[in-house]
Amino acid sequence: MKISWISFGDILGDKFDLTACNEHALRNLQTAEFTNTVGGWIETAKPELGPNFNAAYQNIRDFDRTGLNEALSLCESLFQKISDFTNVGDLFCFPTTPTIAPKKGSLSSLDCVMAFYGRTMAISSFSGVGRLPEISIPAAHIDGIPVGVSLAAGNYQDEFLLDAAKHFFYGGASIK
């Protein structure tokens, strides 16, 4: 087994970073997908929305779909570069979140929500645009706080990922 430290830029061969990946590619597709799958129901059923969700949903309502084709093209380009870089049996390991989870009730404004989720979603945007199976597993506790590690494998390597996660979490012991 060979372990290498790499960055998203190393994988792509340019300086494009995870924040840009999330903000210019994946977030736009997820917004359009949410609108297409859930937005109609929300508009028709008019469920009671909490203040934070309502603020976030307003961003979805305001989404300008004219940039969707550009985001889709960017996602396809990123997918191809990640696919070209990734070999069968490669395993990517990275923190599930870039920071400690916010305290309950501390996400009181959209700015607070975006400060946490923007950084957190940037990390997992790699798996999203790469169409990589990803799993988060508990790795440790630091001062009583759980720390998660995410593992991702190449496109369509789900079984390999589950086996690797089992070995990581259970040390290779058989699971019954």
Side-chain angles (χ1 to χ4, degrees):
M1 169 177 31
K2 179 183 173 195
I3 298 175
S4 301
W5 295 93
I6 59 169
S7 69
F8 191 53
D10 294 336
I11 293 169
L12 300 180
D14 64 30
K15 295 184 189 277
F16 197 77
D17 66 15
L18 290 170
T19 298
C21 178
N22 182 46
E23 292 177 0
H24 301 295
L26 192 61
R27 184 183 295 166
N28 291 336
L29 291 185
Q30 288 176 327
T31 299
E33 184 177 280
F34 185 89
T35 301
N36 291 343
T37 58
V38 182
W41 175 80
I42 290 174
E43 297 300 321
T44 302
K46 301 198 182 312
E48 183 178 341
L49 306 176
N52 287 343
F53 184 86
N54 195 42
Y57 187 62
Q58 187 59 46
N59 288 336
I60 291 170
R61 283 185 189 114
D62 296 342
F63 178 64
D64 180 6
R65 296 177 72 93
T66 59
L68 194 53
N69 281 341
E70 186 177 323
L72 181 57
S73 292
L74 178 56
C75 280
E76 288 301 312
S77 172
L78 295 171
F79 165 72
Q80 193 60 57
K81 288 179 180 182
I82 293 167
S83 251
D84 291 346
F85 180 87
T86 307
N87 296 304
V88 172
D90 281 352
L91 186 67
F92 300 96
C93 180
F94 48 94
T96 299
T97 63
T99 184
I100 191 169
K103 288 184 178 181
K104 185 177 180 180
S106 69
L107 298 179
S108 56
S109 71
L110 187 57
D111 288 338
C112 292
V113 169
M114 291 309 294
F116 175 73
Y117 285 106
R119 291 176 20 202
T120 300
M121 291 304 297
I123 289 175
S124 65
S125 67
F126 161 68
S127 297
V129 298
R131 302 177 198 155
L132 309 179
E134 178 183 339
I135 190 167
S136 180
I137 56 178
H141 280 82
I142 298 174
D143 296 328
I145 299 170
V147 176
V149 171
S150 288
L151 303 174
N155 185 254
Y156 290 115
Q157 294 184 45
D158 304 62
E159 288 182 39
F160 166 73
L161 176 63
L162 290 171
D163 191 51
K166 176 183 80 171
H167 281 58
F168 185 93
F169 191 72
Y170 292 103
S174 63
I175 303 171
K176 297 190 183 214

